[in-house]
Amino acid sequence: MAVEFPSDYDDSKLKYAVMLAKYNGKYVFVKHRERDTFELPGGHREQGENIAQTAARELYEETGALKYSMRQICPYKLNNYGMLFYAEITELGELPQSEIERVLLLDEPPHELMAWTYPDVHPKLLMKIECELKMMDLKKYFKKSELIPAIVQDAYSGEVLMLAYMNEESMAKTLETGYTWFWSRSRQELWNKGATSGHVQKVIEIYGDCDDDTLLIKVEQTGAACHTGNRTCFFNRIK
């Protein structure tokens, strides 16, 4: 089932609000009385509501959340349009009488797709929300410049493999795919490291420096990192 994330949307066409909610660092899932599976909180927009009001109402009705902060993330499109939200709950009250039987607090989302009520949709929505949240946090690294240096290091040996440049788009694709994407200053285009050679870089960790203008990316390197065929680009010893 194809889920789209359009950049533009018509507010009048938004029919649903779906949210990733967390409480004390745990993922908040809900179980419907008539189902044995888990789902993200959310539901239909009612007449007279704006979409933020829908999200707030559904969060309370399905989880009992009394105090929380909420961020609107982005629209999505399946058959109809909906809006994704992120909620950080600080106080949970009694669950209101509704079709929701109970709230589940999980350390991580269910691994088995069969555990999800909507296995073709909700995992993709959750992944999108988490990716967008990371990008919101990482925007500070692009305040000084549209391009920032990214040092790539072997996550296991500590060897420095290469240096390339990233913009917001390449960072987004790196977070989305789990493999490194960069911006080529010579070709003026995005490039996926190893897409042609097969020498891909699986991202293990990403760090930012103290000045918020350089990234350190720890990877699991397949093959050589350098286009010359050397393991690392830093093979010319000067001293």
Side-chain angles (χ1 to χ4, degrees):
M1 189 174 296
V3 182
E4 300 176 24
F5 300 100
S7 56
D8 297 316
Y9 66 96
D10 182 344
D11 180 80
S12 66
K13 293 183 178 180
L14 295 173
K15 305 296 183 183
Y16 305 97
V18 176
M19 68 213 71
L20 164 60
K22 287 191 175 182
Y23 175 69
N24 287 340
K26 294 183 179 292
Y27 289 85
V28 179
F29 281 81
V30 298
K31 180 189 174 300
H32 195 283
R33 293 184 183 279
E34 298 178 358
R35 297 189 278 266
D36 294 324
T37 48
F38 308 147
E39 54 203 78
L40 296 172
H44 293 78
R45 184 178 184 176
E46 294 186 353
Q47 188 173 1
E49 288 183 333
N50 62 44
I51 200 64
Q53 290 171 328
T54 301
R57 175 180 53 77
E58 289 288 347
L59 183 64
Y60 170 70
E61 290 179 354
E62 298 201 347
T63 70
L66 298 176
K67 294 182 180 179
Y68 54 86
S69 60
M70 187 178 291
R71 299 163 72 175
Q72 182 171 302
I73 302 300
C74 69
Y76 73 94
K77 183 178 183 292
L78 196 53
N79 296 321
N80 295 301
Y81 286 85
M83 183 62 72
L84 300 178
F85 291 84
Y86 173 70
E88 191 76 39
I89 301 172
T90 54
E91 183 179 345
L92 279 173
E94 185 176 344
L95 185 64
Q97 288 294 323
S98 69
E99 71 275 10
I100 299 302
E101 180 180 81
R102 61 192 174 98
V103 174
L104 301 101
L105 302 177
L106 307 177
D107 290 325
E108 54 188 27
H111 293 293
E112 298 295 331
L113 287 178
M114 292 179 61
W116 296 75
T117 302
Y118 308 104
D120 295 329
V121 180
H122 276 199
K124 296 174 184 176
L125 299 185
L126 185 148
M127 185 180 300
K128 178 64 174 179
I129 294 171
E130 292 197 317
C131 181
E132 290 296 318
L133 287 172
K134 288 179 182 177
M135 279 308 302
M136 289 176 184
D137 292 337
L138 286 168
K139 280 185 180 294
K140 65 182 180 181
Y141 292 101
F142 298 94
K143 288 182 178 179
K144 297 177 183 177
S145 174
E146 293 181 359
L147 284 181
I148 61 173
I151 301 164
V152 182
Q153 181 183 35
D154 188 293
Y156 308 111
S157 69
E159 184 179 26
V160 177
L161 300 174
M162 57 179 283
L163 181 144
Y165 287 83
M166 281 188 161
N167 59 11
E168 286 194 39
E169 187 177 3
S170 66
M171 173 57 73
K173 292 187 75 68
T174 296
L175 293 173
E176 180 182 348
T177 64
Y179 289 85
T180 55
W181 285 75
F182 303 104
W183 177 259
S184 171
R185 295 179 297 171
S186 59
R187 300 191 304 272
Q188 290 293 293
E189 63 181 14
L190 289 173
W191 60 286
N192 177 204
K193 175 63 178 174
T196 302
S197 65
H199 297 169
V200 296
Q201 296 172 339
K202 182 179 180 181
V203 176
I204 305 301
E205 294 176 308
I206 300 178
Y207 292 86
D209 76 330
C210 57
D211 292 322
D212 296 339
D213 57 10
T214 304
L215 297 174
L216 172 64
I217 305 176
K218 296 190 175 184
V219 304
E220 180 181 295
Q221 176 71 50
T222 298
C226 184
H227 71 281
T228 63
N230 286 281
R231 170 72 179 176
T232 171
C233 291
F234 298 95
F235 58 85
N236 290 316
R237 183 168 181 171
I238 296 174
K239 182 179 178 180

